[in-house]
Amino acid sequence: MQYDVFIVGGGPSGATAADDLACAGKRVALLDRAGRIKPCGGAIPPRAIADFDIPMSQVVAQITTARMISPTGRAVDIPIENGYVGMVDREHFDEFLRDRAEGNGATRLTGTFLRIERDVQGTHVIWRDKTSGEERRTQTQLVIGADGARSNVARAEVPGGDKTPYVIAYHEIIKAPPANDVYDPLRCDVIYDGRISPDFYGWVFPHGEHASVGMGTEINGADLKKATADLRAMSGLTGCETIRREGAPIPLRPMDRWDNGRDVVLAGDAAGVVAPSSGEGIYYAMVGGRVAATAVQAALASGKMKDLKLARKLFMREHKTVFRVLRQMQDAYYKSDERRERFVSLCHDIDVQRLTFEAYMNKKLVAARPMAHIKIGIKNMLHLTGLVRPGHT
């Protein structure tokens, strides 16, 4: 069968693109490797639930507090006012998205992407069927590469696709303990401590009956399993049953180009759309899938492959400023434990707390409180120049 669009990768980005295109009446193939679960804290904001019609049955926990923990063990609890952070389990959430796309008309394929070939008849995706082990050759007009941070589609087809920087994330899904003095099933813990991660952070995120405990780093050779074991010990979770262990790369910045100008456009991690500083990826991956689907529909309608550039243009128009600010914050505060200590001090500020979570919920910087921005800017300068003690709030 010939398809309008062949999507490589069935995570939140690829599945969202497949669903949008199938609902628009396009002939869509969605290729995914069955059995792989990406390591992920699983956090999604209420905006994602609304924008992508996520049923509450997929939300396994509603987090109402975020705890920031400094290298010296100081903890700052930030209440999430007028909302919550939704937690999903990627094992079930990704499959829900793929099933929904299939239910709306997308064809699901299970296997591994190999390459793209072109001849006088057009574009063909070559992939290996998981069940038979045989190579398949599927004709399509356009391809969406949504196959992760080290995307094979990006490396083969898009300039710069082999040079995207990334951190390695690792986590362990554990059986959650009962609520106690250390573990709160309604609280996310974010640990800024060089003993856990020298350049990023560690986390303990509740998932209902389970919890995700992990960390990320860009440093080659870091012992991810030891760091996570240390984090579990610090958090009183050593004795909890381990359900599964997972590791994967997470991109550090959006690629400068998302398409090859011919028949391929990237989406999600393959395009580098993970938020700096926070590492948040699910919402931005789904947005990436949606803008890729929008660009593909435009190119199919016009016959002009330059319309594939619309994907990056639409995404950056809405999220470029947030990504830039988060990158500046990561570069400023993740360099050392002394800086991390200062960052947690800033989190004491009520205006920082409110503006942070308003921005998280709405996915845009909040401009309604100019005096709060000025005060935060002054405190930020005092900490970065070392004019106040690291523990000063």
Side-chain angles (χ1 to χ4, degrees), residues 30-353:
L30 177 63
L31 176 68
D32 187 61
R33 294 183 295 168
R36 179 184 179 278
I37 308 169
K38 181 184 175 183
C40 175
I44 60 172
R47 180 171 174 183
I49 295 170
D51 286 0
F52 298 101
D53 194 22
I54 305 301
M56 291 306 294
S57 60
Q58 288 296 316
V59 179
V60 295
Q62 296 183 35
I63 302 303
T64 56
T65 303
R67 171 170 288 183
M68 308 299 178
I69 302 174
S70 79
T72 60
R74 289 189 306 128
V76 178
D77 285 353
I78 304 177
I80 302 170
E81 298 179 352
N82 304 316
Y84 60 91
V85 176
M87 306 302 295
V88 298
D89 188 327
R90 292 290 297 272
E91 179 181 12
H92 306 295
F93 181 68
D94 290 16
E95 185 63 14
F96 159 76
L97 295 176
R98 290 189 288 265
D99 280 346
R100 182 166 69 176
E102 182 178 30
N104 285 324
T107 300
R108 284 186 62 176
L109 306 172
T110 304
T112 305
F113 169 81
L114 298 176
R115 62 190 178 275
I116 295 174
E117 294 180 352
R118 300 171 180 88
D119 58 23
V120 293
Q121 293 182 324
T123 300
H124 307 266
V125 176
I126 314 302
W127 55 284
R128 188 177 304 281
D129 182 84
K130 181 176 182 179
T131 302
S132 68
E134 297 177 354
E135 283 194 14
R136 307 290 190 189
R137 193 170 190 264
T138 304
Q139 187 171 353
T140 184
Q141 293 190 60
L142 297 173
V143 177
I144 294 177
D147 51 335
R150 289 188 287 202
S151 163
N152 289 321
V153 176
R155 284 188 286 181
E157 297 291 335
V158 178
D162 58 342
K163 297 180 175 63
T164 302
Y166 56 86
V167 301
I168 296 295
Y170 172 82
H171 80 159
E172 297 175 0
I173 296 293
I174 64 172
K175 186 174 181 179
N180 54 52
D181 292 341
V182 179
Y183 179 81
D184 184 341
L186 300 180
R187 187 189 72 219
C188 282
D189 291 356
V190 184
I191 299 89
Y192 297 99
D193 189 329
R195 294 170 295 177
I196 303 302
S197 172
D199 57 341
F200 207 56
Y201 64 81
W203 68 82
V204 178
F205 286 179
H207 282 192
E209 295 181 356
H210 299 153
S212 165
V213 185
M215 50 79 68
T217 180
E218 191 180 356
I219 296 177
N220 290 329
D223 192 334
L224 310 182
K225 292 185 178 181
K226 180 182 183 304
T228 302
D230 291 344
L231 175 55
R232 287 180 64 167
M234 290 169 56
S235 305
L237 301 171
T238 299
C240 296
E241 178 186 353
T242 301
I243 307 298
R244 63 180 191 263
R245 298 177 173 89
E246 298 150 357
I250 297 176
L252 289 174
R253 65 177 179 82
M255 288 177 57
D256 294 331
R257 182 171 177 176
W258 294 8
D259 70 281
N260 67 353
R262 184 176 185 178
D263 52 9
V264 173
V265 64
L266 305 177
D269 281 12
V273 294
V274 172
S277 179
S278 68
E280 182 190 356
I282 297 177
Y283 171 77
Y284 292 112
M286 297 180 78
V287 172
R290 175 151 290 172
V291 296
T294 300
V296 160
Q297 290 185 71
L300 289 172
S302 70
K304 298 176 181 178
M305 294 304 104
K306 68 178 183 179
D307 285 342
L308 294 177
K309 297 183 183 300
L310 186 62
R312 188 179 190 279
K313 182 178 179 180
L314 289 173
F315 185 94
M316 299 305 284
R317 178 186 296 167
E318 182 168 3
H319 302 292
K320 180 179 180 179
T321 301
V322 170
F323 271 49
R324 185 182 70 247
V325 170
L326 291 175
R327 167 55 59 189
Q328 291 170 347
M329 186 173 73
Q330 180 174 334
D331 290 344
Y333 285 108
Y334 286 18
K335 292 180 178 180
S336 68
D337 275 355
E338 190 268 346
R339 288 287 184 94
R340 294 184 186 94
E341 199 73 39
R342 293 180 181 276
F343 175 68
V344 173
S345 292
L346 277 177
C347 292
H348 278 281
D349 190 285
I350 190 65
D351 288 312
V352 169
Q353 296 178 12

